[in-house]
Amino acid sequence: MPELPEVEHIARGLSALLPGRTVRDASVTWERTVATHSAEGFIQTITGRTFGPVSRRGKFLVLDLPPQTVLIHLRMTGGIHLCSGPRDDWEDDAHVHVKLTVDDGGKLYYRDTRKFGRWYLVDDPMEIVGDLGPEPLSADFAAGDLSDILLDHRRQIKPLLLDQKMIAGLGNIYVDEILWTAQIHPVRRSHTLSRSQIERLHRAIRSVLLAAIERGGTTVRDYRDACDQMGAYQHVLCVYGREQEPCPRCGAPIAKLQVAQRGTHICQVCQPEPREEALHDSI
DNA sequence: ACCACAACCTGGCCGC
DNA sequence: TGCGGCCAGGTTGTGG
């Protein structure tokens, strides 16, 4: 579910509430959620520790818990909810797999229907996020950096953008939105893009992600932020989930196809299919 | 280097 | 109503 904007929004929500709080109690009801420890070992290790700053790297939520760090990847259906009141809807939820009680009685719930999400407790975050590509919203991610990545490979642009080792944080929804915005077909080979297309793509990556963060992310189904609120970016999606609806730019019906085994939404007019030779073109 | 596919899980939706 | 099949915001490992 969550891509960069959703994780960023959750991180901001937790930043306001979690730092300075001490873990008093913890429970883990789906053993495999904690990838680095047994449930027992994890609970013993973190109890009594106090949270420091909360941040994000790619799609990972990063919780400082000196002297170590907790990294959380929400995968498809993971969600975090921090409740300060005495009770909460999540208390008896069958899909809550981790629960932390902090010193003022507040509770942090981790809910994950499909159980794909993972928690990591490590000495050095680089053990987990060391292979990630650059942060697309960082000030030093320039069009030239994107160009270096694209020209260094001969892959279809969509799977390349989804590859976290290339650029960190993009997922299926935002890649479809970004490619529509930049008017680039998802199977276009990365090394065949022109200078101006790369600049358009660079601008689209940043503008789409920033707009999505501003609206608190996209809720297709499960996603809720740290305060259990839905996002609002789903209301302004241009192509994702809009098969058959008119393209906001030209009015042609949005088409759905498979690219890299992922459902993919495009406007066939605004994002024309590359010629065969451009697909296989060398040099 | 790049791609296809299965696996990890559950639930919702569609058609019969 | 029930059941099978397909779909889903992600990642990893295997094999071609």
Side-chain angles (χ1 to χ4, degrees):
Chain A
M1 115 172 70
E3 307 181 29
L4 185 155
E6 290 75 31
V7 181
E8 177 66 25
H9 191 67
I10 291 170
R12 290 181 187 182
L14 291 180
S15 286
L17 301 164
L18 204 56
R21 291 190 173 178
T22 300
V23 180
R24 288 304 176 210
D25 194 19
S27 65
V28 176
T29 50
W30 182 257
E31 192 80 19
R32 265 173 291 183
T33 297
V34 181
T36 52
H37 294 67
S38 65
E40 188 64 29
F42 177 74
I43 292 164
Q44 268 186 15
T45 307
I46 67 167
T47 300
R49 289 192 186 168
T50 301
F51 283 104
V54 176
S55 58
R56 175 193 62 75
R57 175 76 172 97
K59 298 175 190 171
F60 287 86
L61 201 52
V62 182
L63 313 182
D64 268 34
L65 194 61
Q68 291 179 291
T69 305
V70 174
L71 295 105
I72 303 172
H73 198 301
L74 304 167
R75 296 283 179 97
M76 298 285 268
T77 54
I80 294 280
H81 175 43
L82 193 58
C83 137
S84 34
R87 258 197 84 72
D88 199 272
D89 287 350
W90 289 42
E91 184 59 38
D92 302 310
D93 191 307
H95 300 300
V96 168
H97 303 122
V98 181
K99 186 169 80 173
L100 306 185
T101 305
V102 291
D103 49 6
D104 65 348
K107 290 186 170 128
L108 184 148
Y109 299 96
Y110 172 74
R111 182 182 194 277
D112 188 358
T113 307
R114 292 179 72 179
K115 302 174 175 167
F116 287 168
R118 291 293 178 264
W119 288 43
Y120 307 84
L121 174 65
V122 293
D123 296 329
D124 178 1
M126 290 306 278
E127 296 170 38
I128 306 301
V129 297
D131 287 337
L132 293 182
E135 281 295 324
L137 294 180
S138 124
D140 44 298
F141 179 67
D145 300 306
L146 178 61
S147 181
D148 290 346
I149 294 166
L150 299 185
L151 301 182
D152 202 34
H153 299 273
R154 307 172 146 252
R155 301 171 62 180
Q156 297 180 340
I157 187 68
K158 172 158 178 173
L160 184 148
L161 293 174
L162 288 171
D163 185 340
Q164 303 298 298
K165 293 185 176 71
M166 299 293 118
I167 298 171
L170 304 182
N172 204 38
I173 293 179
Y174 295 114
V175 165
D176 280 5
E177 294 296 304
I178 287 163
L179 290 173
W180 177 85
T181 302
Q183 297 181 245
I184 296 167
H185 193 283
V187 306
R188 183 71 183 270
R189 295 282 159 177
S190 59
H191 66 289
T192 69
L193 290 172
S194 69
R195 176 78 205 172
S196 69
Q197 286 177 313
I198 293 172
E199 283 169 3
R200 249 195 287 151
L201 182 58
H202 179 257
R203 280 195 301 274
I205 289 170
R206 296 171 71 109
S207 64
V208 168
L209 294 176
L210 285 171
I213 291 170
E214 218 167 277
R215 290 181 183 253
T218 302
T219 299
V220 171
R221 162 181 269 155
D222 301 293
Y223 170 70
R224 299 290 185 281
D225 70 15
C227 300
D228 209 19
Q229 302 299 300
M230 299 203 313
Y233 198 73
Q234 65 276 14
H235 302 305
V236 295
L237 291 170
C238 293
V239 286
Y240 183 85
R242 310 202 88 79
E243 189 181 4
Q244 306 283 43
E245 292 178 43
C247 167
R249 188 189 288 117
C250 76
I254 300 302
K256 184 169 180 184
L257 51 149
Q258 289 285 123
V259 176
Q261 295 83 240
R262 311 296 301 276
T264 298
H265 310 76
I266 66 166
C267 170
Q268 290 171 307
V269 175
C270 298
Q271 299 164 267
E273 176 132 25
R275 292 170 298 118
E276 248 332 84
E277 58 194 285
L279 283 173
H280 303 295
D281 162 14
S282 33
I283 310 204

